[in-house]
């Protein structure tokens, strides 16, 4: 067998990717992690992580991901800061290509590409992107210190980001499309108990206002159809995520929403030697700890596959 064929390539560097790498490197699979465009994954754009076991006082997302990486590197994982743009799983040996055009061959591929923020799809949102429109309060909230902002969404992300923004901004206008929030009770309470957050129920976004920078938002009350304008300098979108699985659509079974389908009680996809983990595959739990768990499963499945094939 050619030495150039890697035993295990991991695409993605969030909790799933690095957990897979820790297990794969300790099993001597000499894994290579391709970090993708957001090294460390979504946790690097969050602040306090309070629900990851082992951190009784909480931990900062970026710091936790540095520790994941250090643990993987300690056992021999190679980490490459590049994006994978194309795959060919017609195999038996799988091929992947980096953004710079390099071809890599691998016996097993672990997909841990995670998910990315969803957008409303308004023309004004696109036009004013990074001119006041953002999908990451932790990244961009700083720019709106002492100003008024709006945030759309009603899940845990929106609740977390609204309370984060409330610490920086004079007022946060939270636009909720139904008459209730999806966020966990504790997060909802935090939002409701924050004085400078105003919740607008049954409210959807009609247009983000401004020519070259955000000056406000026009909203519609979905019960009365009444339109009104709120003057804000920043507009934050926090309406969930889409799995980063587009490049696999010619090869792997996926749900309509793009989440990869794995065989029951395993990380196996429909292609031998290709395993899926984390938010690219899990639309139900979507937690760092569950992503880490499925990353571990993928590494164990990859190891068993390689052993069964007599490759290790
Ligand atoms: P969710 O899918 O949970 O929530 C998305 C929210 O956006 C919903 O309230 C939804 O409204 C709203 N929404 C969707 N599309 C639109 C639209 N076009 N216009 C207006 N509103 C819209 O995504 P999250 O990112 O909030 O959370 C994802 C997962 O991550 C969850 O499991 C969550 O618990 C977890 N999480 C946990 C955190 C923590 O524990 N610290 C922090 C952040 C996330 P509707 O309710 O009407 O569908």
């Amino acid at each position: 067998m050619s030495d150039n064929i890697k035993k295990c390539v991991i695409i993605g560097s969030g909790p799933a990717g690095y957990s897979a790498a820790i297990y794969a490197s300790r099993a001597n699979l000499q894994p290579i992690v391709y970090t993708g465009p957001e090294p460390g994954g979504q946790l690097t754009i969050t602040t306090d992580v309070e629900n990851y076991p082992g951190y009784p006082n909480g931990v900062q997302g970026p710091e936790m991901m540095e520790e994941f990486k250090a643990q993987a590197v300690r056992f021999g994982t190679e980490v490459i800061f590049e994006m994978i743009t194309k795959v060919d799983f017609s195999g038996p040996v799988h091929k992947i290509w980096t953004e710079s055009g390099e071809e890599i061959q691998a016996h097993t591929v672990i997909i841990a590409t995670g998910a990315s923020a969803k957008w409303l799809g308004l023309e004004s949102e696109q036009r004013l992107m990074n001119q006041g429109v953002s999908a990451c309060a932790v990244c961009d909230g700083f720019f709106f210190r002492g100003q008024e902002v709006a945030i759309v969404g009603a899940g845990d992300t929106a609740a977390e980001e609204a309370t984060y923004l409330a610490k920086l901004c004079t007022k946060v206008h939270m636009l909720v499309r139904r008459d209730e929030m999806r966020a966990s009770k504790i997060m909802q309470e935090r939002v409701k108990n924050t004085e400078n957050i105003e919740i607008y129920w049954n409210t959807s976004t009609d247009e983000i206002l401004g020519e070259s920078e955000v000056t406000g938002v026009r909203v519609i009350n979905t019960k009365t159809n009444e339109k009104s304008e709120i003057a804000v300098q920043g507009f934050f979108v926090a309406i969930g995520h889409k799995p980063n699985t587009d490049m696999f659509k010619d090869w792997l079974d996926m749900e309509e929403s793009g989440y990869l389908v794995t065989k029951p009680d395993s990380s196996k996809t429909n292609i031998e030697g290709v395993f899926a983990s984390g938010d690219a595959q899990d639309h139900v739990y979507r937690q760092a700890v569950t992503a880490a768990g499925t990353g571990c499963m993928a590494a164990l499945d990859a190891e068993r596959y390689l052993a069964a094939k007599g490759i290790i």
Side-chain angles (χ1 to χ4, degrees):
M1 209 61 81
S2 160
D3 278 353
N4 288 332
I5 306 176
K6 309 295 178 198
K7 290 193 195 98
C8 180
V9 165
I10 298 165
I11 313 177
S13 57
Y18 280 135
S19 299
I22 292 165
Y23 273 76
S25 51
R26 294 188 80 251
N28 206 21
L29 305 187
Q30 292 122 12
I32 303 177
V33 169
Y34 284 92
T35 61
E38 198 172 80
Q42 291 180 72
L43 280 179
T44 58
I45 54 168
T46 191
T47 48
D48 295 317
V49 179
E50 294 178 334
N51 52 11
Y52 201 90
Y55 294 97
N57 301 316
V59 60
Q60 295 292 303
E63 186 187 327
M64 185 165 104
M65 291 324 297
E66 275 304 312
E67 293 188 350
F68 269 65
K69 179 175 153 224
Q71 196 170 348
V73 167
R74 178 183 159 205
F75 297 111
T77 298
E78 189 181 347
V79 178
I80 298 180
F81 291 87
E82 253 210 283
M83 204 160 109
I84 299 300
T85 49
K86 195 176 131 192
V87 298
D88 179 340
F89 292 156
S90 57
V93 171
H94 304 303
K95 295 178 190 161
I96 64 175
W97 284 268
T98 66
E99 196 175 21
S100 54
E102 190 193 349
E103 179 185 318
I104 298 112
Q105 301 197 350
H107 292 293
T108 65
V109 176
I110 294 176
I111 297 169
T113 46
S116 298
K118 278 188 191 164
W119 297 97
L120 293 171
L122 298 169
E123 178 278 323
S124 50
E125 175 187 57
Q126 193 63 40
R127 180 165 45 82
L128 294 164
M129 188 78 62
N130 300 324
Q131 308 297 328
V133 172
S134 164
C136 178
V138 176
C139 319
D140 300 327
F142 185 77
F143 302 120
F144 303 97
R145 275 171 306 157
Q147 301 182 340
E148 291 198 23
V149 297
I151 183 163
V152 56
D156 278 329
T157 303
E160 189 177 76
E161 299 207 338
T163 46
Y164 177 83
L165 289 167
K167 292 186 193 128
L168 296 169
C169 304
T170 49
K171 182 144 188 193
V172 178
H173 304 265
M174 186 169 185
L175 314 178
V176 176
R177 69 176 173 182
R178 290 186 294 136
D179 58 1
E180 60 176 346
M181 287 193 205
R182 186 185 293 268
S184 55
K185 285 281 170 291
I186 185 168
M187 301 293 277
Q188 289 195 35
E189 284 313 310
R190 262 181 222 173
V191 167
K192 288 173 186 166
N193 291 332
T194 304
E195 250 176 42
N196 59 338
I197 300 179
E198 182 174 349
I199 303 172
Y200 297 66
W201 302 103
N202 302 306
T203 299
S204 65
T205 307
D206 187 44
E207 210 64 73
I208 304 159
L209 306 173
E211 277 308 312
S212 55
E213 56 186 28
V214 172
T215 56
V217 55
R218 187 165 62 236
V219 295
I220 309 179
N221 181 309
T222 53
K223 287 257 148 95
T224 61
N225 276 333
E226 203 179 306
K227 290 190 184 181
S228 56
E229 291 185 5
I230 311 166
V232 291
Q233 285 80 51
F235 185 86
F236 289 85
V237 181
I239 60 168
H241 293 82
K242 178 185 175 302
N244 299 318
T245 55
D246 284 354
M247 75 174 138
F248 309 114
K249 64 176 184 292
D250 290 342
W251 307 102
L252 300 182
D253 290 346
M254 52 179 76
E255 293 174 11
E256 213 174 304
S257 50
Y259 287 94
L260 297 173
V261 174
T262 48
K263 304 209 166 122
D265 301 323
S266 86
S267 65
K268 294 175 190 164
T269 67
N270 55 304
I271 302 266
E272 276 210 336
V274 178
F275 306 91
S277 60
D279 284 11
Q281 161 268 334
D282 166 28
H283 58 88
V284 180
Y285 302 103
R286 294 181 294 185
Q287 301 299 302
V289 66
T290 50
T294 55
C296 159
M297 286 165 65
L300 294 175
D301 287 341
E303 184 190 354
R304 284 169 195 160
Y305 169 85
L306 291 166
K309 293 271 173 201
I311 296 165
I312 56 169

